[in-house]
Amino acid sequence: MAYFLGIDIGSATSKGIITEDGSTVSRHLLPSGVNYRLAAQEMVEGLLAKSGVAQEDIACTVATGQGSANVEIADQEVADIRCCARGIFSIFPSVRTVIDVQGQSTQVLRLNGEGQVANFVVSEKCASGSGRFLDIIANVLQIKLEDIGPLSLESKNPVTFTTGCAVFGESEAVSRVSEGVAREDIIAGVHQALAEKISSLVGKVGLEERCAITGGGGLNTGLIKWIERKLGIELLVPPEPQLVTALGAAIMAEEACK
Amino acid sequence: MTTEAKPRALNRLQSMYALRAEVDKMYEGGVEASEEGRPVAWVMLEGWSNAILNAMGVNTVFPENYSSLCAAQGVATPFLERSEAEGYPTHLCGYARTCVGYSSRMVELDGKIPPEAPAGGMPKPILLVASGEVCDARFKWFQSLGRFFDAPVWTIESPYPGLRERLTEGAHERNVNFLINELKAFVAFLEKLLGKKMDWDALEHTGGGTNEINRWRWEINELRKARPGPMNTRDFWSAVTAALFRGAANPDVITKGFERMYDEVKERVNNGIAGINRPEKYRLSFEGLPPWHSLGFLEQLAERGWNFVIESAYRPPRPITIDLSKYSDPMERYVRRRYRRLEDSLEEDYGPEEAGLIIDEILCDGVSRRMGLRHIRDYQVDGVVLHVLLTCRSTSAGLNLLQHRLLDVLKVPSLVIEGDIIDVSAFNPAEALRNAETFEETMDHYRKVRKELGMPW
Amino acid sequence: MVLIYFAGIDLGSTMTKVVIVDEDDQTKASVVYHTGAEHRRLANRVMEESLAKANLSIDDISFVMATGYGRINVPFADRQITELSCHARGVASFFPHVRLAIDIGGQDAKGLKTRDGKLLDFVMSDKCAAGTGRFLEVISAALGLKIEDLGDISLRSTQKVSVSSTCTVFAQQEVVNHLSEGVPLEDVIAGLHDAIAGRSARMVNRLKVEPDVVFTGGVAKNVGVVKALEENLGCPVLVPEEPLLSGAIGAALLGKEHVLKALARGETIQTGKRRLEEATFFK
Amino acid sequence: MAEPSKGLLRAQEIYQDRSQRALELREQGKKIMGYLCIYPVLEMMTALDIVPYRIFGDMREPITRADAYMPSVNCPFLRSCLDLGLKEKYDFLDGIVTSHICDVGSSLSGIWNYTVRTPFSHHIDTPHTLHETSLKQERGLLEDYRKALEDFTGHKMTTENLKKAIRVHNEQRALVRELYELKKPDPPLISGVETIRVIKAIQSIPVDEGNELLRDVISEVKERGDGPQTKSARLLLWGSILDDTALPEMIEGLDANVVMDDTCVGSRPYFNDVEVTGDVIDGLARHYLMDIKCPRTFRTRDYNDVRKDYMKDLEVRFSYLSDYARDWKTNGVILESVRYCDTHGYDVPGLRDYLDNLGIPSIYLEHDYTEGALAPLRTRVQGFLEIIS
Ligand SMILES: Nc1ncnc2c1ncn2[C@@H]1O[C@H](COP(=O)(O)OP(=O)(O)O)[C@@H](O)[C@H]1O
Ligand SMILES: Nc1ncnc2c1ncn2[C@@H]1O[C@H](COP(=O)(O)OP(=O)(O)O)[C@@H](O)[C@H]1O
Ligand code: SF4
Ligand code: SF4
Ligand code: SF4
């Protein structure tokens, strides 16, 4: 029996998948924490424990994500954009554009008919353009991550921040709340700004219909709506958007064995 | 650490070293001239003034190149910081900022060359020759050096028309006359400055030498079409400075150097040897100016089997024989030798049929989709690296459009790498490498696309 | 004889400071509070506390001068003036020969060229948290360290590591990575201090560094940054005993000078409504 | 129907909805010609009854489409212009005329042609120096431009019409100068914010209508009682493009009036007349090459001087600013530029040297052409005001 392992050590969350014959046997998520190496070990142990698969039966492991270098058992490290492409292609073969919203960066890719990356672009290295901005604001406003999206949609009057910096944005959000600005207006402002940045990235690679969203940002129903409004299209959302890259890594592992 | 299990990924050309050394000699020559009380000018690379100055016995050094030399040796940063302290915005051209820092340091030292200056340094100029060609930086920068030197600045103006406007009836002749008169005015100024007459015969020689050098450079580039590509862009960048920033060096010496390089490249082609010591997985073109501070990065890409077989900047012009017999005025000969009608150069480059298509595009839309892509096709390039520079507008502004045109017309993808010519802090090698891996997939994809369309590579 | 008092309030992004001085420029009371979300509005409480400390009531204060990021919306201030002028004035009260003052606070870094307490020229950092006190706050919070301890920790470093991310948020991640790779804490912290000091030094170079150089603001309490700044500037740097207070003291003194000047001209002093109410920010 | 508004109100209406008049005129069959920066010769458009319409960006609208065609390290003003073009906001233009204002400006003309595809386009390669040869070149370029416009409209540009056009444009220049005279008293009769609105308005409508607007504004301003208040600072504003009132609004919200400017949505295009010469094009060439003072041009004391004298050189390049400072009694100068503008950026240290030498205090502000970027500049401006008062 041959199993394949895909591990995505993200900046905030580590994700892992075991597949067999192209179908997922087991999945696991845990916070990456402050030590990627530890997270990688726990991920492998967790996955094996959940699935009951023995380590010897893993034919091949592909690691990806920020901390991919810390996965000791990996046979290969692969760039996360490639894994993301493979993953989404196995779910939605017709998708041609993917918006991948991760913690540290946002990337937009175009796919060809075989699930390969035909073009891609990565956001700038400023947290104000990444999912992290949402996390920071959600945290100070004491809103659960899963609630920020729906809440943002209730806003009639999204706040424009006076700062473009995620760090200062945090204190600005706090002060605004204490001055009576509604939380949904603040969180909507952040969503709107992020959606604008994303639509500009999409412009760079060009939008081709059938566009999907992946990464942790795909769990955010509000963000999806904001992006849809900006782009004027509907986004496809895979059932487990945050796991798409890990799935792609597992598929890569299978390919590597062939 | 001398344990070199694997050979380096780049396969350097031996003939490059001699050429590279010529640039150091040019700077040494400048310092020597200055010490002997002979005039030294700082000039911009534009191809018009250097030969004229040399013919007048003026030694020339090139701050643009000198800044990249500082960057390559890792000593540019203190100069950059100095320019920031002088109040120059940090987005200005990295070459200019290095030069400003250098000049300010010179003033601090009473006009002496800073001891930390590489290659002997650039001596104090008696003249700054700016250029209206290529970019704004190159005349604004020298103008602003007035804070440091009492040397006069002369800006050589050259036409920079829109494409369609260049095809307008009468425009070409007007531009030629503009250049002739402009350069004559420059000569008149030089005569006044130096108190001596122009040596027109010498110009015929100093001006003609470039053509010989360019001819060899052209031939070398022709050889680079071979598979595997026999010469990596790293060697191109190392050697090209000798041709571009020749200063008062004897053109024959440089010509000889490129001739040797030709022999070496030819030898490689005959034996199927590549410019990288790894299988040539991808053939690439480098568009834009290189990261002078991190040329070693090409080694890491070569490790992945990336061979940069051609580049966009400083490609030598196709050698042609121009009938100058009709023209007796030496300045007119000098100008006509290089400044050509757009229609003519297009026709030589693309052949009459494609040139016709390009001209139609220009007349109709004011721009051409096809133009300037010839090398990508000729060198059968799989992908293009676009180096978007933080501090250079003129080489960056058009890169994104180029990216679209390459895809539209040739189905060749591009990887954007952001960085700078001088400022190492603008460049993130780890990220660039990560994206390089993904880009391989993109190149694979477009290989298939081109195949489906029946394109030759 | 009637005693006359002047108050300066520096409503900073991170800290709110109030200083009350008497007519001989002697400090009667000073209070420093975390600005925080609520305290930002409750600047009045900080004011009240300092009045209590000085055993005075608001009516004993001849003039209240407000400065700092939140100066515009302090309802009990008589006048506002930028922290630039206030720091210049305040620093001169500690070090009369100061020529260059560097202030690194929670929101920005500033360089001030001054002479005799007068502001001559200045530079300020941009709208990014990198290079500010916030940078250190965010990272020390992520590492569970106290901001006060960073300085001493970094002094133990023998080989600082450079932090390549400029973004505060990503630098935090990078620091974590360094640590999980086994780089000693002190070397990482020293690297952060160097990054901040280097940025500020490059910025103030535009003003032509001349001694005496004085370093103020909350970050000046951090001996590690002081040392790194000295290295980066290549000259000694003076730090006042309480570097947080220079803005508030400067405000109080400028308030006093404003009053004296007006009196000398025989004008009446325009004072505000003196409502000890909450301050607001986004107007 | 309500009385059509006049004077400042009308200026503000046009400022807020610039294209409204152009669209009306287009309905009536007029040709609308977009132009970038102040170097495309407007007189030739007017002579052929074409309506010149200056292309601006919008600092309140985030750039989302232009980044695909222009790297973000380029002038954000031009990127914004392109962005609006890509968002079809300039689709009503019949053509576009560009000139060699700066590198990015020149590149933009190609990018615009490739992506926005306005039906007619022409690029004028205005030289950088004032050499004799450059003047000749500019003259030739204007002949080409004239021909291009003639081909575009199918009409001949007669000398008579051209002279007439020069006269109306000169009249506009005189009216703008008259308006600026009203900024000399203390307090000025018209604020910096209002001035930008007026100038932007006249750059959006036909020249004769602009003149009428100017006349209305001038008479209104002379008589009104609710003009600007006296403030401690009277400022001169120098810089690159400023096509939005946000910055002067911020400044004038503090203890300062902007009483004079040297920007191209301000005095720059209007402070010299075009001389009506025997050969009309000569006068136009001279004006557009030599008279407009802007950092894009390489100006020096004497091209044939073999020795440079820095201070004298600065004098020649910038003395008009000290005239402005004297005549409008300004006590400080704000130098303003959008980020990534090279031509203005290189001039800043020299210009500050010059002003320092005259004892005129100055401050340099750089912004990225977004409304949000202005808030942090507030403390800087206020600090500057504290220094000069
Ligand atoms: N339940 C959720 N609802 C909304 N957003 C979420 C949720 N969970 C995670 N996110 C978003 O996803 C991002 C993390 O995405 P992920 O792809 O896991 O990033 P990384 O790989 O860098 O750890 C977070 O920044 C957060 O904004
Ligand atoms: N005891 C301390 N030791 C070291 N650093 C401190 C200390 N107290 C405050 N800081 C630093 O000072 C910064 C606040 O400085 P401050 O000058 O008060 O800023 P602001 O005026 O913007 O409120 C904090 O971000 C923190 O980094
Ligand atoms: S082309 Fe670019 S690199 Fe060269 S001088 Fe101009 S701005 Fe600098
Ligand atoms: S602006 Fe803020 S979020 Fe952006 S890079 Fe700077 S610190 Fe990071
Ligand atoms: S602001 Fe500067 S870069 Fe932008 S268009 Fe004007 S001159 Fe060119």
Side-chain angles (χ1 to χ4, degrees):
Chain A
M1 211 26 65
Y3 294 97
F4 301 93
L5 192 48
I7 297 184
D8 171 12
I9 307 292
S11 65
T13 313
S14 294
K15 289 130 290 198
I17 276 187
I18 298 186
T19 60
E20 180 193 11
D21 275 343
S23 52
T24 303
V25 175
S26 175
R27 52 178 68 67
H28 191 45
L29 280 94
L30 53 85
S32 299
V34 297
N35 190 331
Y36 287 162
R37 191 151 292 254
L38 221 62
Q41 278 163 11
E42 281 175 23
M43 173 53 72
V44 175
E45 284 159 17
L47 270 174
L48 293 178
K50 263 192 183 172
S51 61
V53 173
Q55 184 155 354
E56 307 83 77
D57 293 333
I58 306 282
C60 183
T61 302
V62 164
T64 186
Q66 283 282 320
S68 61
N70 296 287
V71 182
E72 278 165 46
I73 66 158
D75 299 288
Q76 237 185 68
E77 277 178 55
V78 177
D80 56 351
I81 302 182
R82 297 178 62 205
C83 293
C84 175
R86 239 26 131 256
I88 196 74
F89 185 71
S90 74
I91 302 170
F92 297 133
S94 64
V95 154
R96 289 296 169 271
T97 311
V98 187
I99 299 168
D100 184 33
V101 184
Q102 302 186 0
Q104 278 215 358
S105 67
T106 301
Q107 31 224 13
V108 178
L109 41 147
R110 289 267 297 269
L111 295 185
N112 68 6
E114 288 153 46
Q116 283 173 319
V117 182
N119 202 349
F120 66 99
V121 55
V122 182
S123 67
E124 275 173 41
K125 294 286 151 233
C126 167
S128 65
S130 72
R132 184 58 60 79
F133 194 14
L134 287 173
D135 304 358
I136 291 175
I137 301 299
N139 186 34
V140 297
L141 297 183
Q142 294 171 358
I143 311 171
K144 283 206 244 73
L145 259 190
E146 45 273 31
D147 298 337
I148 51 173
L151 187 64
S152 76
L153 296 175
E154 287 169 22
S155 163
K156 301 237 156 24
N157 196 7
V159 154
T160 318
F161 279 74
T162 62
T163 168
C165 171
V167 179
F168 293 149
E170 177 181 3
S171 24
E172 187 169 335
V174 174
S175 319
R176 295 230 181 205
V177 168
S178 78
E179 279 168 21
V181 177
R183 293 191 312 170
E184 61 262 28
D185 291 341
I186 297 172
I187 201 73
V190 184
H191 278 81
Q192 191 176 16
L194 188 55
E196 252 151 29
K197 292 214 163 97
I198 289 173
S199 87
S200 166
L201 287 178
V202 171
K204 282 192 183 182
V205 295
L207 179 66
E208 207 175 310
E209 268 297 350
R210 304 287 282 171
C211 176
I213 181 164
T214 61
L219 294 169
N220 183 334
T221 48
L223 181 64
I224 294 171
K225 277 275 171 308
W226 285 99
I227 300 174
E228 288 180 336
R229 277 182 210 165
K230 278 267 165 260
L231 294 178
I233 55 156
E234 247 178 70
L235 295 180
L236 289 165
V237 189
E240 291 169 316
Q242 206 172 10
L243 281 162
V244 169
T245 301
L247 174 63
I251 297 172
M252 286 276 193
E254 282 196 41
E255 280 174 16
C257 253
K258 272 185 204 145
Chain B
M1 286 207 292
T2 45
T3 44
E4 232 172 72
K6 228 166 157 190
R8 294 180 65 96
L10 285 171
N11 183 16
R12 312 287 319 246
L13 286 167
Q14 291 311 306
S15 50
M16 169 274 301
Y17 295 102
L19 280 166
R20 195 166 67 181
E22 283 303 317
V23 178
D24 287 356
K25 280 193 206 147
M26 176 262 290
Y27 289 108
E28 284 155 21
V31 173
E32 207 179 284
S34 170
E35 279 165 0
E36 289 165 9
R38 282 181 287 130
V40 177
W42 289 9
V43 297
M44 289 291 171
L45 175 70
E46 30 72 26
W48 297 117
S49 61
N50 190 57
I52 294 176
L53 285 158
N54 293 162
M56 293 282 268
V58 180
N59 263 79
T60 42
V61 292
F62 300 83
E64 279 158 288
N65 171 255
Y66 192 72
S67 301
S68 49
L69 201 130
C70 290
Q73 302 205 4
V75 298
T77 307
F79 292 133
L80 291 178
E81 286 174 2
R82 238 191 136 84
S83 121
E84 195 180 340
E86 291 279 352
Y88 288 81
T90 48
H91 64 73
L92 299 181
C93 169
Y95 294 161
R97 283 158 59 221
T98 309
C99 178
V100 162
Y102 181 90
S103 306
S104 137
R105 181 92 173 94
M106 245 180 155
V107 170
E108 183 183 53
L109 299 171
D110 265 337
K112 283 200 208 53
I113 294 175
E116 71 274 21
M122 293 191 297
K124 217 175 133 180
I126 62 143
L127 169 68
L128 301 165
V129 186
S131 160
E133 201 170 71
V134 181
C135 73
D136 300 325
R138 304 186 335 146
F139 70 100
K140 293 305 293 182
W141 150 20
F142 271 11
Q143 181 177 41
S144 73
L145 287 187
R147 301 180 94 203
F148 310 107
F149 303 120
D150 55 9
V153 187
W154 186 275
T155 294
I156 296 196
E157 196 65 93
S158 32
Y160 190 51
L163 285 175
R164 188 199 280 129
E165 292 71 26
R166 222 177 136 181
L167 295 175
T168 311
E169 201 188 318
H172 178 73
E173 280 309 301
R174 182 177 61 235
N175 290 336
V176 167
N177 283 321
F178 177 32
L179 269 169
I180 293 173
N181 292 329
E182 179 68 17
L183 293 175
K184 281 187 173 168
F186 175 54
V187 167
F189 169 71
L190 275 183
E191 289 178 339
K192 185 172 169 210
L193 177 76
L194 300 169
K196 67 182 202 188
K197 284 283 164 206
M198 174 72 189
D199 183 346
W200 292 105
D201 293 333
L203 180 64
E204 205 56 30
H205 183 66
T206 52
T210 309
N211 285 3
E212 261 309 282
I213 296 170
N214 280 345
R215 199 171 64 77
W216 283 112
R217 290 181 53 219
W218 170 269
E219 294 297 341
I220 293 169
N221 266 3
E222 288 295 295
L223 292 173
R224 293 172 74 193
K225 288 176 183 165
R227 271 179 191 267
M231 170 178 174
N232 188 278
T233 197
R234 174 95 204 248
D235 283 329
F236 172 86
W237 291 114
S238 299
V240 73
T241 45
L244 301 173
F245 307 105
R246 172 156 63 82
N250 183 350
D252 300 339
V253 177
I254 312 280
T255 309
K256 202 83 218 140
F258 279 102
E259 195 181 334
R260 281 204 199 94
M261 181 170 269
Y262 174 85
D263 292 340
E264 190 181 355
V265 176
K266 176 100 199 178
E267 179 78 24
R268 281 192 180 180
V269 173
N270 291 343
N271 296 307
I273 295 172
I276 57 175
N277 291 319
R278 303 285 180 271
E280 180 182 272
K281 284 206 207 135
Y282 299 99
R283 295 167 66 84
L284 291 109
S285 167
F286 197 99
E287 305 283 315
L289 296 177
W292 293 108
H293 46 77
S294 302
L295 285 175
F297 185 64
L298 291 169
E299 169 77 23
Q300 283 169 276
L301 293 177
E303 196 59 65
R304 305 190 66 92
W306 289 33
N307 195 6
F308 285 87
V309 295
I310 191 72
E311 48 288 310
S312 66
Y314 304 137
R315 263 203 321 279
R318 177 186 291 270
I320 35 153
T321 33
I322 300 165
D323 181 13
L324 291 173
S325 60
K326 277 197 285 183
Y327 310 106
S328 58
D329 178 60
M331 191 59 93
E332 181 160 10
R333 293 166 64 83
Y334 181 60
V335 168
R336 290 200 187 266
R337 195 177 279 147
R338 195 181 115 197
Y339 193 78
R340 318 272 326 283
R341 282 177 62 209
L342 180 60
E343 299 90 313
D344 293 345
S345 15
L346 283 176
E347 197 166 320
E348 272 144 21
D349 262 4
Y350 291 86
E353 196 179 320
E354 198 172 359
L357 285 175
I358 292 177
I359 288 174
D360 285 347
E361 280 180 344
I362 295 175
L363 290 177
C364 173
D365 302 332
V367 282
S368 163
R369 288 159 19 113
R370 293 185 168 83
M371 206 177 130
L373 306 184
R374 174 82 202 243
H375 60 294
I376 306 297
R377 194 173 66 197
D378 286 354
Y379 289 77
Q380 308 210 325
V381 163
D382 297 306
V384 165
V385 165
L386 301 177
H387 192 209
V388 171
L389 304 176
L390 176 67
T391 68
C392 170
R393 251 50 64 200
S394 77
T395 65
S396 303
L399 288 182
N400 287 3
L401 185 61
L402 178 69
Q403 180 171 18
H404 288 275
R405 291 169 47 217
L406 281 167
L407 265 190
D408 291 353
V409 182
L410 296 178
K411 307 296 171 212
V412 171
S414 329
L415 174 67
V416 173
I417 294 186
E418 285 175 3
D420 191 45
I421 31 182
I422 304 292
D423 196 343
V424 62
S425 67
F427 177 54
N428 181 341
E431 187 192 325
L433 268 184
R434 247 197 325 274
N435 290 339
E437 183 196 327
T438 309
F439 187 60
E440 288 175 359
E441 209 163 90
T442 305
M443 289 192 283
D444 291 342
H445 164 67
Y446 280 101
R447 260 187 190 150
K448 280 181 239 154
V449 172
R450 288 193 303 271
K451 202 163 181 187
E452 278 161 22
L453 291 171
M455 295 171 89
W457 78 105
Chain C
M1 162 189 183
V2 209
L3 278 177
I4 304 178
Y5 298 97
F6 302 91
I9 174 162
D10 177 0
L11 191 49
S13 66
T14 317
M15 303 287 204
T16 300
K17 308 108 196 167
V18 172
V19 171
I20 298 177
V21 299
D22 64 18
E23 56 185 336
D24 299 321
D25 294 359
Q26 294 305 309
T27 301
K28 294 300 290 179
S30 65
V31 175
V32 177
Y33 244 90
H34 252 284
T35 304
E38 272 76 54
H39 291 102
R40 212 181 270 267
R41 293 191 295 133
L42 304 183
N44 49 342
R45 297 245 180 98
V46 190
M47 188 69 202
E48 276 160 12
E49 192 176 321
S50 45
L51 287 170
K53 233 175 154 179
N55 221 343
L56 296 168
S57 88
I58 186 84
D59 300 321
D60 297 326
I61 307 289
S62 304
F63 203 80
V64 182
M65 183 74 96
T67 187
Y69 176 60
R71 65 183 176 279
I72 309 150
N73 303 311
V74 181
F76 49 87
D78 298 316
R79 199 184 157 99
Q80 296 84 27
I81 196 159
T82 62
E83 55 272 34
L84 297 159
S85 300
C86 292
H87 281 300
R89 181 65 191 91
V91 168
S93 75
F94 314 129
F95 300 106
H97 300 297
V98 54
R99 286 298 170 79
L100 177 74
I102 298 169
D103 182 274
I104 309 183
Q107 179 100 356
D108 56 24
K110 310 181 251 293
L112 316 165
K113 200 159 117 180
T114 80
R115 182 169 287 204
D116 305 328
K118 268 219 161 51
L119 180 64
L120 302 179
D121 198 357
F122 61 88
V123 285
M124 275 173 86
S125 71
D126 256 332
K127 44 183 186 172
C128 170
T132 68
R134 256 336 265 289
F135 181 67
L136 293 178
E137 277 182 71
V138 167
I139 288 175
S140 62
L143 299 181
L145 298 171
K146 285 216 218 78
I147 188 99
E148 301 84 278
D149 298 338
L150 294 186
D152 288 331
I153 296 175
S154 71
L155 293 186
R156 294 202 299 268
S157 163
T158 47
Q159 197 182 9
K160 60 175 181 254
V161 292
S162 73
V163 179
S164 63
S165 317
T166 38
C167 177
T168 309
V169 179
F170 299 151
Q172 175 190 336
Q173 195 81 39
E174 194 184 330
V175 164
V176 168
N177 294 353
H178 277 313
L179 293 177
S180 56
E181 278 161 19
V183 179
L185 179 66
E186 57 266 28
D187 292 344
V188 177
I189 306 283
L192 295 172
H193 290 164
D194 190 58
I196 290 202
R199 262 174 179 257
S200 300
R202 279 197 297 281
M203 181 178 80
V204 300
N205 271 334
R206 255 178 276 169
L207 298 174
K208 302 267 176 311
V209 178
E210 248 184 278
D212 294 354
V213 178
V214 180
F215 181 20
T216 62
V219 178
K221 293 185 125 173
N222 181 326
V223 284
V225 180
V226 176
K227 178 166 166 262
L229 194 57
E230 290 187 327
E231 281 166 13
N232 273 281
L233 288 172
C235 73
V237 160
L238 303 167
V239 180
E241 208 174 310
E242 186 35 276
L244 275 175
L245 290 180
S246 63
I249 291 179
L253 296 177
L254 286 174
K256 179 188 145 191
E257 282 150 23
H258 173 76
V259 169
L260 292 182
K261 231 186 274 166
L263 290 177
R265 277 196 244 120
E267 293 165 8
T268 49
I269 306 145
Q270 302 272 332
T271 51
K273 287 217 194 74
R274 283 293 166 75
R275 285 172 294 138
L276 270 180
E277 285 172 6
E278 302 175 347
T280 56
F281 259 71
F282 301 95
K283 272 289 155 64
Chain D
M1 216 180 125
E3 184 85 348
S5 29
K6 292 177 75 167
L8 289 173
L9 188 59
R10 170 95 180 113
Q12 185 165 0
E13 280 168 12
I14 303 178
Y15 173 82
Q16 269 153 5
D17 185 6
R18 290 187 63 217
S19 56
Q20 173 205 12
R21 182 66 188 139
L23 290 171
E24 265 171 39
L25 290 164
R26 194 164 196 262
E27 283 291 294
Q28 296 165 20
K30 294 250 186 189
K31 296 246 184 276
I32 316 292
M33 184 70 76
Y35 66 97
L36 205 56
C37 218
I38 52 179
Y39 288 83
V41 176
L42 303 186
E43 285 80 350
M44 290 193 176
M45 298 184 199
T46 303
L48 285 169
D49 203 24
I50 301 169
V51 179
Y53 185 86
R54 185 159 173 194
I55 293 176
F56 288 119
D58 183 354
M59 61 195 282
R60 289 156 207 264
E61 158 102 28
I63 298 174
T64 52
R65 304 227 18 221
D67 285 347
Y69 295 96
M70 232 186 196
S72 52
V73 293
N74 286 295
C75 170
F77 161 69
L78 289 176
R79 283 168 50 232
S80 174
C81 293
L82 178 63
D83 196 58
L84 297 184
L86 290 166
K87 288 173 178 160
E88 300 172 7
K89 300 266 167 70
Y90 283 116
D91 274 11
F92 62 89
L93 296 178
D94 295 291
I96 160 168
V97 184
T98 55
S99 63
H100 193 163
I101 35 171
C102 57
D103 296 335
V104 187
S106 296
S107 308
L108 179 66
S109 76
I111 297 172
W112 188 288
N113 283 341
Y114 195 88
T115 55
V116 185
R117 307 174 72 93
T118 306
F120 168 88
S121 73
H122 188 84
H123 181 75
I124 307 174
D125 179 30
T126 313
H128 292 111
T129 61
L130 311 186
H131 298 166
E132 267 310 306
T133 49
S134 303
L135 187 58
K136 219 166 132 188
Q137 178 75 355
E138 171 77 357
R139 206 198 166 290
L141 291 167
L142 293 191
E143 291 283 6
D144 284 358
Y145 169 53
R146 169 195 193 147
K147 245 199 113 266
L149 287 182
E150 286 177 345
D151 291 348
F152 167 65
T153 54
H155 296 293
K156 275 263 158 261
M157 192 186 301
T158 63
T159 308
E160 218 24 68
N161 283 345
L162 192 51
K163 279 190 177 161
K164 224 158 74 198
I166 293 175
R167 258 179 249 120
V168 240
H169 279 274
N170 276 344
E171 192 185 340
Q172 179 149 91
R173 296 186 176 100
L175 285 165
V176 170
R177 292 194 298 264
E178 195 182 330
L179 184 69
Y180 272 77
E181 283 297 309
L182 304 179
K183 295 159 79 71
K184 282 181 175 170
D186 196 32
L189 301 184
I190 176 168
S191 70
V193 171
E194 291 164 330
T195 311
I196 290 201
R197 288 196 197 122
V198 172
I199 302 289
K200 202 167 167 185
I202 63 173
Q203 294 180 348
S204 316
I205 55 179
V207 61
D208 48 352
E209 293 181 20
N211 291 353
E212 201 179 313
L213 176 64
L214 282 165
R215 274 187 218 102
D216 289 345
V217 167
I218 289 168
S219 54
E220 175 185 344
V221 162
K222 275 182 179 164
E223 267 150 43
R224 70 170 166 172
D226 59 347
Q229 307 285 305
T230 301
K231 303 265 185 82
S232 4
R234 295 174 57 87
L235 299 177
L236 165 60
L237 188 57
W238 172 92
S240 70
I241 187 80
L242 200 65
D243 60 355
D244 193 290
T245 52
L247 180 66
E249 229 160 71
M250 183 265 272
I251 299 173
E252 295 187 330
L254 300 167
D255 191 14
N257 284 314
V258 176
V259 297
M260 187 52 195
D261 67 68
D262 176 31
T263 73
C264 60
V265 194
S267 73
R268 224 175 249 175
Y270 302 106
F271 267 49
N272 286 292
D273 280 345
V274 173
E275 201 186 327
V276 187
T277 42
D279 183 339
V280 206
I281 302 215
D282 276 341
L284 286 169
R286 194 167 281 278
H287 175 82
Y288 280 90
L289 181 68
M290 303 194 156
D291 288 350
I292 302 178
K293 298 211 171 60
C294 155
R296 57 127 351 246
T297 308
F298 178 81
R299 216 173 272 277
T300 187
R301 184 158 65 120
D302 169 3
Y303 285 107
N304 284 299
D305 228 347
V306 295
R307 200 174 172 79
K308 179 159 192 162
D309 179 324
Y310 183 49
M311 274 305 155
K312 284 190 185 143
D313 185 49
L314 292 180
E315 179 75 30
V316 167
R317 286 163 59 196
F318 301 123
S319 64
Y320 69 101
L321 289 170
S322 77
D323 296 346
Y324 289 174
R326 184 192 60 229
D327 296 346
W328 273 265
K329 301 198 187 56
T330 66
N331 49 0
V333 182
I334 291 186
L335 313 180
E336 161 276 335
S337 175
V338 294
R339 187 154 302 143
Y340 303 123
C341 174
D342 289 340
T343 53
H344 285 79
Y346 282 103
D347 266 10
V348 170
L351 179 47
R352 292 197 78 183
D353 284 347
Y354 177 69
L355 296 171
D356 284 351
N357 199 44
L358 294 175
I360 301 176
S362 66
I363 183 176
Y364 173 55
L365 306 176
E366 210 173 80
H367 60 91
D368 62 4
Y369 197 73
T370 56
E371 206 191 355
L374 296 178
L377 298 182
R378 195 188 156 94
T379 297
R380 277 170 231 216
V381 173
Q382 204 167 0
F384 177 63
L385 296 177
E386 285 164 10
I387 291 180
I388 65 179
S389 64

